[in-house]
Amino acid sequence: MASVHTVTEATSAPSWDPYERGCPSRDLLDRIGDKWSILVLGELGRHGTSRFTQLRKQLAGVSEKMLTQTLRALERDGLVVRTVYPEVPVRVEYSLTPLGVTLRGPLKALTDWSLEHTTDVLAAREEYDARAVRTG
Amino acid sequence: MASVHTVTEATSAPSWDPYERGCPSRDLLDRIGDKWSILVLGELGRHGTSRFTQLRKQLAGVSEKMLTQTLRALERDGLVVRTVYPEVPVRVEYSLTPLGVTLRGPLKALTDWSLEHTTDVLAAREEYDARAVRTG
DNA sequence: CAGAATCCAATAAGATACTG
DNA sequence: CAGTATCTTATTGGATTCTG
């Protein structure tokens, strides 16, 4: 999966044309397709708002680094908003932007599908692997 | 971790439990989230059936290796079926399985979203980057 | 045609330590 | 708390060469 963007070279203009060939802009699909984005978006969609540490626990397994990167990327894409409360110690809350909310539907369709068809896929894998063993 | 796994060892049983914590099974999301799966699925969804070389052209940019890997993974997951016609030279056709067809809806929702909101995301990125520059 | 095999460069991911 | 910095390992992706 591609680039959780190495930021540093703020390429203002993308070199691809989102309209060419009706192509669904790999760039955007990559973002939601990366390792944690869907999960983060899902959590914020369900929870409404979460703090950094809270998210870390909910996503069980994500490292601080990855969570930060994912959150930053989502923020940059206008899907998530980061609010800092200058208390002591500082409190930071994340939630979906209106644009992020429009992604909830499509995302839910996807996670619903995965929940619904997990057993099918697992079965298919077992059969495939079994056949592979027999075939050599 | 023994570095002995050269991929080739058909990992029969996954070590995670898809039912724990109502988690939307990262394993499945990972599959469709990888670099080419969505595009391949999309092509097969639109086209109905495609041959290897045909797919390579339609996906413009995929290497043989990646296309093969993606196709194999999708086949293993029961989403794509591979049919070999023992002609000379051999002809191989790929198409969606019934299970794969059930993914069309969710996937279309996603690609439609990306088409619809590309400009929004692009605008958000520019603003974010502009602010980053000002902020330092 | 439709891959398989191999090698190598680029990225991503994770662990750990440190900070305002 | 909410990160940042740094280092190391693991995984990806692509180019190339070869084959039934």
Side-chain angles (χ1 to χ4, degrees):
Chain A
M1 188 168 336
S3 64
V4 178
H5 76 256
T6 352
V7 176
T8 34
E9 55 176 67
T11 40
S12 46
S15 55
W16 45 270
D17 177 357
Y19 301 108
E20 67 170 4
R21 302 186 341 104
C23 163
S25 160
R26 260 260 311 291
D27 228 54
L28 296 201
L29 294 181
D30 280 358
R31 167 65 17 82
I32 61 154
D34 89 342
K35 196 169 185 181
W36 298 104
S37 292
I38 292 187
L39 283 323
V40 170
L41 255 11
E43 267 308 314
L44 294 181
R46 270 188 298 281
H47 242 99
T49 276
S50 267
R51 301 178 58 177
F52 189 85
T53 306
Q54 207 175 344
L55 273 174
R56 271 211 72 183
K57 283 170 197 159
Q58 286 157 351
L59 299 203
V62 68
S63 66
E64 295 180 351
K65 180 183 157 191
M66 282 301 103
L67 183 54
T68 300
Q69 271 183 25
T70 303
L71 250 9
R72 289 287 179 285
L74 293 173
E75 195 194 349
R76 181 168 108 106
D77 283 358
L79 299 171
V80 160
V81 61
R82 174 176 183 268
T83 314
V84 183
Y85 298 90
E87 307 171 351
V88 178
V90 68
R91 178 165 55 103
V92 179
E93 288 188 348
Y94 294 92
S95 52
L96 297 183
T97 61
L99 181 60
V101 171
T102 68
L103 234 189
R104 281 187 66 180
L107 240 41
K108 182 164 165 35
L110 211 58
T111 55
D112 282 355
W113 183 93
S114 99
L115 251 16
E116 212 175 308
H117 295 285
T118 294
T119 54
D120 295 335
V121 171
L122 256 28
R125 283 183 190 173
E126 273 187 48
E127 202 196 307
Y128 183 96
D129 292 343
R131 186 193 326 267
V133 168
R134 283 202 307 281
T135 308
Chain B
M1 217 160 301
S3 54
V4 196
H5 66 294
T6 2
V7 170
T8 32
E9 56 173 63
T11 44
S12 45
S15 57
W16 45 271
D17 177 358
Y19 302 109
E20 66 171 5
R21 303 185 342 104
C23 160
S25 163
R26 260 259 314 289
D27 228 56
L28 296 199
L29 295 181
D30 279 358
R31 165 75 63 249
I32 62 154
D34 87 342
K35 195 170 185 181
W36 299 104
S37 292
I38 292 187
L39 283 323
V40 170
L41 255 10
E43 266 308 313
L44 294 181
R46 269 188 299 280
H47 240 98
T49 276
S50 267
R51 303 178 57 177
F52 189 85
T53 305
Q54 208 175 342
L55 273 173
R56 272 211 70 184
K57 284 170 197 161
Q58 287 157 349
L59 299 203
V62 68
S63 67
E64 294 181 353
K65 181 183 159 190
M66 283 301 105
L67 184 53
T68 300
Q69 270 183 24
T70 304
L71 250 9
R72 288 290 178 283
L74 293 173
E75 195 195 350
R76 181 168 109 105
D77 283 358
L79 299 172
V80 160
V81 61
R82 174 176 182 268
T83 314
V84 183
Y85 298 88
E87 308 170 350
V88 178
V90 68
R91 178 165 55 102
V92 179
E93 287 188 350
Y94 294 91
S95 52
L96 297 183
T97 61
L99 181 59
V101 171
T102 68
L103 234 189
R104 282 187 64 180
L107 240 40
K108 182 165 165 33
L110 209 58
T111 53
D112 283 355
W113 183 92
S114 98
L115 250 15
E116 212 176 306
H117 296 285
T118 294
T119 54
D120 296 334
V121 171
L122 256 28
R125 286 184 188 171
E126 272 187 49
E127 201 195 307
Y128 184 96
D129 292 343
R131 185 191 327 265
V133 168
R134 283 201 307 278
T135 307

